[in-house]
Amino acid sequence: MRNLSMLVLVAALSAPAAYAGDMPKASIGGYVTMTDVDAGGGAQDDGMGFGVRGWAVISNPWFVHGEYQTSSLDDSNTDIDQLRIGGGLAGEIQPGMMWLAKGEYISVGNDFADDQTGFGVHGGMMFHPSQQFGLFGTLGYLTTSDTDGLEFNIGGSFSFTRALAAFIDYRTYMGSVDPSGDLDVSDLHIGVALMFY
């Protein structure tokens, strides 16, 4: 069951898998992000930022997670902040392959509008071909007071040691915002994570 917990958390949060031995009970990671925003009607902007994310096992197969990210867009000089807090569970399809489901509270803010709060629900799968490599994909639905749409996340990880790994993932939101219309936001995350036993 400890292996099951680790696979669930890798899939849910793109946290890396353990290199060998006992599985971790928690992890924290930091990343840089490249953000691209398409607000429809030709309004586009991009920029860079950073984030931190973590998870912890509560009781198999349940876990909690949290993430904070901030990005500064170049053309509009706008900062976009995201906070996500939630939890979930998962089950084994076959050795090395998992399903997962998670929910989260979301708060998104920028320099020109009130913070938007809402929730997201996600489901997905994770494939773990070895102790060093992990791959995952999730599809979810996000809604706040002014936005709603689909979110897709795909990524992978590589463990250097039992306690240190690198990860990369691509997350894109495809939806709409009142009253302006379409809104697409994409983030590419590249980072490292530490595991705790």
Side-chain angles (χ1 to χ4, degrees):
M1 288 299 287
R2 293 182 72 194
N3 289 347
L4 173 64
S5 294
M6 186 58 195
L7 292 176
V8 169
L9 296 170
V10 170
L13 304 171
S14 69
Y19 182 76
D22 290 342
M23 291 295 173
K25 296 179 181 174
S27 176
I28 187 165
Y31 59 82
V32 295
T33 182
M34 288 155 271
T35 300
D36 183 66
V37 177
D38 184 351
Q44 292 184 321
D45 206 346
D46 59 15
M48 293 190 68
F50 66 91
V52 61
R53 59 171 59 141
W55 58 261
V57 174
I58 300 175
S59 177
N60 279 319
W62 299 93
F63 63 91
V64 293
H65 71 89
E67 179 177 9
Y68 173 76
Q69 174 183 308
T70 183
S71 297
S72 296
L73 302 181
D74 296 333
D75 294 338
S76 61
N77 292 320
T78 301
D79 292 335
I80 300 176
D81 299 322
Q82 296 182 43
L83 174 67
R84 297 172 183 237
I85 301 171
L89 73 162
E92 187 175 47
I93 299 171
Q94 64 184 40
M97 186 175 292
M98 308 288 299
W99 64 267
L100 69 96
K102 69 173 183 169
E104 59 189 3
Y105 164 83
I106 300 169
S107 176
V108 179
N110 65 55
D111 297 334
F112 301 110
D114 293 335
D115 289 356
Q116 301 293 313
T117 60
F119 68 90
V121 292
H122 308 266
M125 292 182 62
M126 186 271 177
F127 176 59
H128 203 261
S130 73
Q131 290 181 330
Q132 286 183 293
F133 293 98
L135 302 170
F136 78 94
T138 63
L139 179 63
Y141 175 78
L142 305 182
T143 183
T144 69
S145 50
D146 288 338
T147 67
D148 68 290
L150 296 177
E151 185 175 77
F152 177 68
N153 196 7
I154 188 168
S157 64
F158 177 81
S159 296
F160 298 108
T161 69
R162 243 178 114 236
L164 178 65
F167 62 86
I168 183 170
D169 67 86
Y170 176 76
R171 182 168 65 198
T172 184
Y173 167 81
M174 301 160 288
S176 61
V177 59
D178 291 332
S180 58
D182 292 342
L183 175 66
D184 295 338
V185 180
S186 299
D187 294 307
L188 178 65
H189 305 131
I190 302 172
V192 295
L194 295 173
M195 280 73 72
F196 302 94
Y197 295 84

